[in-house]
Amino acid sequence: IPTAVVGVQASITLKPVSGSNKSISVYLAKNGATIAAARITRTVSSGETGNMSMFYNVCLATDDYLEIFIATDTDDIDVLVTDALFGVA
């Protein structure tokens, strides 16, 4: 199966729905599995928005797919994504 290394860029603007000092992580995932080295984390409080940017190189084969996952590290609060850009070059 032919493979290619591609550059992935993502910019996500988000905010927690409630609470202060919430640790939020964004992960790049390949074929449904998160890539631990492609995790970025930021602390944001309710009422504030935070931007997170990611640049990562990943090897892809035919039929591979990429996703962005968002997780809260502090507790089970909801996170509102207000803007997202996701590109592969």
Side-chain angles (χ1 to χ4, degrees):
I1 297 175
T3 61
V5 176
V6 298
V8 177
Q9 307 87 32
S11 176
I12 298 102
T13 302
L14 45 73
K15 62 182 172 182
V17 174
S18 63
S20 300
N21 299 320
K22 302 299 181 178
S23 177
I24 301 171
S25 292
V26 174
Y27 295 86
L28 176 63
K30 177 180 165 183
N31 299 329
T34 58
I35 302 170
R39 172 186 177 202
I40 54 175
T41 302
R42 179 168 181 167
T43 301
V44 187
S45 293
S46 178
E48 299 176 4
T49 57
N51 182 268
M52 302 170 79
S53 297
M54 173 186 296
F55 302 93
Y56 195 78
N57 290 328
V58 64
C59 186
L60 296 179
T62 303
D63 296 328
D64 283 346
Y65 64 94
L66 299 172
E67 300 172 283
I68 296 290
F69 292 145
I70 297 170
T72 56
D73 303 319
T74 310
D75 50 31
D76 291 334
I77 56 140
D78 291 330
V79 175
L80 176 64
V81 175
T82 58
D83 294 292
L85 297 171
F86 184 53
V88 177

